Amino acid sequence: HDETEVPSPCVSNCVIDEPTGLCAGCYRTLDEIAGWIDLSAAERRAVVANLALRRVLYEDEITLRHAADAER
């Protein structure tokens, strides 16, 4: 079993989208971000595996919401 290090998916765009509770940059929850350091490689891979689906489901609405906020 591969227990190599799983890099953080952080992209330094750290803004929590209130309606979804997801980071607008990496699509993790605050609990996932805060707990990342304590997760095993398998747990980290499980979190990362969910991020692509979250991006598909929420990217458009999060992008629109935060673009509107930036214009204010």
Side-chain angles (χ1 to χ4, degrees), residues 17 19-20 22-23 27 50-65:
D17 178 66
T20 62
L22 301 176
C23 175
Y27 295 89
N50 289 318
L51 301 182
L53 177 60
R54 290 179 190 169
R55 181 181 297 272
V56 167
L57 292 174
Y58 301 111
E59 181 175 33
D60 289 345
E61 73 177 87
I62 289 174
T63 300
L64 285 172
R65 198 165 16 252

Side-chain angles (χ1 to χ4, degrees), residues 15-71:
V15 178
I16 297 299
D17 178 66
E18 292 296 331
T20 62
L22 301 176
C23 175
C26 68
Y27 295 89
R28 290 180 293 170
T29 65
L30 271 177
D31 287 344
E32 289 167 342
I33 293 166
W36 185 260
I37 193 79
D38 297 320
L39 296 179
S40 69
E43 291 167 325
R44 288 179 178 193
R45 282 192 293 275
V47 169
V48 170
N50 289 318
L51 301 182
L53 177 60
R54 290 179 190 169
R55 181 181 297 272
V56 167
L57 292 174
Y58 301 111
E59 181 175 33
D60 289 345
E61 73 177 87
I62 289 174
T63 300
L64 285 172
R65 198 165 16 252
H66 290 276
D69 288 347
E71 292 174 2

